[in-house]
Amino acid sequence: MKTLLLRLVGPMQSWGIDSRFVMRETGLEPSKSGVVGLLCAALGKPKKDEEAEHPDYPPLSRLAGLRLGVRVDRPGVLQADYHTAGGAHLPEETTKGSWQLYGVLKAAAEPRRFDEPPRKGDLKTELSTRFYLADAAFLVGLQAMDAEDEFWLGRIQNRLKKPRWPIYLGRKSFVPSEPVWFRDPDLEQWSLLPLEKALSLHPRLVKDASPLRLVLDANPDDPVQSAEAIARKDVPTSFEQRQFTTRYVVSKFLERSLGS
């Protein structure tokens, strides 16, 4: 089946799976929900009517059904940001003797004057710790499972070159430092290979001494992979409702080093 390769390289990436609220963790490689979300942004697929048929994008279940593989070309360095959002300076703390709000307004909020009295909740400052991978590089493969998948992979490749909405590496502020897509002539020789073979043979994206690690959706027809697979709950069934289901993945290191 046809395989599409993507290049996820950037100064900051974050691929959380189940963290919410004040502690936002990241996985060590791109999650399936993160990659599918990137595809949805490129295609311009909205969160509403996620299973609806549309000429510009497939149902969410079809994107989530693509077999995913990730090769870790450079693992990056785990870092954490300390975030604050919301709050206000008290009148006695300001030179003007009036309230000064520095909270982040919602997109739908009405414009506020900085000297008007705070409303309920304005004084509360939300604190959070957000982890990310610095300077990581990943080669991602998506394998079609049928002829219709192959059609949509071609559409995705074209849309990645000119995405409908901005694409990002796990968070909207984490932009790629290189194009996510490969040029068609460079992609052609890998597209006809099975997922694992394409990821194993493609040249390394960056110079790095770390061993290459593969993380693949387990092949249910392979008894060895089925026995070694571990569960990972990152397959989106609804981005709007934040609902996810489980897939099974296998991980291994490549024995040989690939030149960049």
Side-chain angles (χ1 to χ4, degrees), residues 65-175:
L66 297 168
R67 188 171 180 232
L68 174 69
V70 177
R71 193 182 75 192
V72 182
D73 282 30
R74 185 165 58 204
V77 179
L78 183 64
Q79 301 279 10
D81 268 351
Y82 175 71
H83 280 232
T84 66
H89 290 292
L90 299 174
E92 55 269 31
E93 296 174 334
T94 66
T95 57
K96 296 182 178 179
S98 58
W99 293 97
Q100 287 188 336
L101 305 177
Y102 53 87
V104 178
L105 298 180
K106 295 181 179 179
E110 297 178 357
R112 300 282 304 279
R113 299 197 321 271
F114 283 96
D115 59 350
E116 67 179 288
R119 301 169 185 170
K120 183 179 180 181
D122 280 346
L123 297 180
K124 184 179 179 182
T125 300
E126 299 290 347
L127 309 179
S128 65
T129 301
R130 304 185 179 211
F131 291 87
Y132 62 92
L133 301 173
D135 207 21
F138 303 102
L139 178 68
V140 172
L142 296 164
Q143 181 177 320
M145 306 306 290
D146 56 31
E148 188 169 348
D149 280 355
E150 293 183 3
F151 166 79
W152 284 112
L153 285 183
R155 181 67 66 88
I156 289 169
Q157 166 70 356
N158 291 332
R159 266 301 176 190
L160 288 172
K161 300 173 186 175
K162 192 175 182 180
R164 185 79 176 272
W165 299 328
I167 57 177
Y168 48 86
L169 305 178
R171 287 186 202 151
K172 290 183 178 178
S173 58
F174 293 174
V175 297

Side-chain angles (χ1 to χ4, degrees), residues 1 13 38 57 64 85 104-105 151 198 209 238:
M1 288 296 178
Q13 305 189 35
L38 185 151
Y57 42 77
V104 178
L105 298 180
F151 166 79
S238 172

Side-chain angles (χ1 to χ4, degrees), residues 31-64:
S31 62
K32 192 156 202 175
S33 57
V35 173
V36 172
L38 185 151
L39 303 182
C40 289
L43 293 166
K45 180 175 175 58
K47 291 183 179 179
K48 292 184 177 180
D49 301 323
E50 292 173 306
E51 290 303 314
E53 298 286 345
H54 194 281
D56 293 335
Y57 42 77
L60 178 60
S61 56
R62 180 164 289 281
L63 293 175

